[in-house]
């Protein structure tokens, strides 16, 4: 049995188009807004934890 990787099974000259799997239009805009909101919430949580740690001094 030969150990073949995914690279060995794919044609050498074929370029993979990853962009075709990405959402387009309205879905892409919605995903961007959601990710931005998640980042904001994570930053708020990080700052809140920093403030909570100052009470332990």
């Amino acid at each position: 049995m030969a150990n073949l990787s995914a690279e060995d099974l794919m044609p050498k000259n074929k370029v993979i188009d990853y962009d075709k799997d990405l959402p387009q239009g309205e879905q892409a805009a919605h995903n961007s807004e959601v990710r931005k909101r998640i980042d904001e919430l994570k930053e708020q949580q990080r700052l809140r934890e920093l403030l909570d740690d100052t009470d332990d001094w």
Side-chain angles (χ1 to χ4, degrees), residues 32-50 52:
S32 178
E33 291 174 7
V34 169
R35 287 189 183 278
K36 183 177 177 183
R37 181 65 179 144
I38 289 171
D39 288 343
E40 290 172 358
L41 291 171
K42 283 181 154 180
E43 181 65 11
Q44 284 179 0
Q45 181 181 12
R46 185 185 72 81
L47 293 173
R48 191 173 296 121
E49 288 173 356
L50 285 175
D52 289 344

Side-chain angles (χ1 to χ4, degrees), residues 11-26:
K12 300 292 183 214
N13 59 355
K14 184 176 180 181
V15 177
I16 301 172
D17 182 19
Y18 293 106
D19 291 339
K20 69 178 174 59
D21 296 329
L22 296 175
Q24 301 293 320
E26 194 173 312

